[in-house]
Amino acid sequence: EVQLVESGGGLVQPGGSLRLSCAASGFLFYNYDMKWVRQAPGKGLEWVSSINRDGGRTYYGDSVKGRFAISRDNSKNTVDLQMNSLKTEDTGVYYCATGGSRGEADYAYRGQGTHVTVSS
């Protein structure tokens, strides 16, 4: 059974940082691209970032480029999202996912999400 478990969300002030982590199990992690998607209150899913199987290629949505960094550790089956210079518009539920199209918010499997609130 595929399992994706996110952690690291919380409340942070604008300009602050958070690091999200996702622990994967139930599939051959190193064989799959991974992504983070998010859903702001009252809005649809938005693709945030993707990383290829070996971590050598990373991709970012325009709204987070230069502020967020995705990484993975295939020895630990984890994928992280370092979020810096956070803005109020980054508030939402962040999901770790796999499958779907690169650069799109679609997916084959998704975790339960972790909440991020950026507020003063």
Side-chain angles (χ1 to χ4, degrees):
E1 178 189 3
V2 172
Q3 285 197 324
L4 299 167
V5 180
E6 302 92 339
S7 61
L11 172 64
V12 62
Q13 292 186 340
S17 298
L18 276 177
R19 188 176 184 88
L20 307 183
S21 188
C22 171
S25 62
F27 64 107
L28 295 176
F29 181 75
Y30 57 85
N31 271 351
Y32 291 86
D33 294 357
M34 297 297 296
K35 65 173 69 171
W36 287 91
V37 299
R38 67 184 181 186
Q39 187 164 26
K43 296 189 177 181
L45 276 176
E46 176 191 10
W47 170 71
V48 175
S49 181
S50 294
I51 188 166
N52 76 330
R53 286 177 285 182
D54 66 7
R57 296 182 183 176
T58 58
Y59 309 87
Y60 299 95
D62 289 341
S63 62
V64 307
K65 200 172 295 183
R67 300 187 297 122
F68 289 13
I70 191 171
S71 61
R72 68 189 293 163
D73 186 337
N74 286 348
S75 69
K76 297 180 180 179
N77 286 8
T78 58
V79 56
D80 290 352
L81 186 69
Q82 177 66 44
M83 306 188 296
N84 300 323
S85 303
L86 282 161
K87 305 176 181 179
T88 55
E89 51 263 44
D90 294 318
T91 293
V93 182
Y94 284 70
Y95 301 94
C96 169
T98 190
S101 304
R102 182 175 295 160
E104 300 292 335
D106 60 342
Y107 55 88
Y109 298 96
R110 188 189 78 178
Q112 83 290 347
T114 186
H115 290 256
V116 172
T117 302
V118 184
S119 175
S120 55

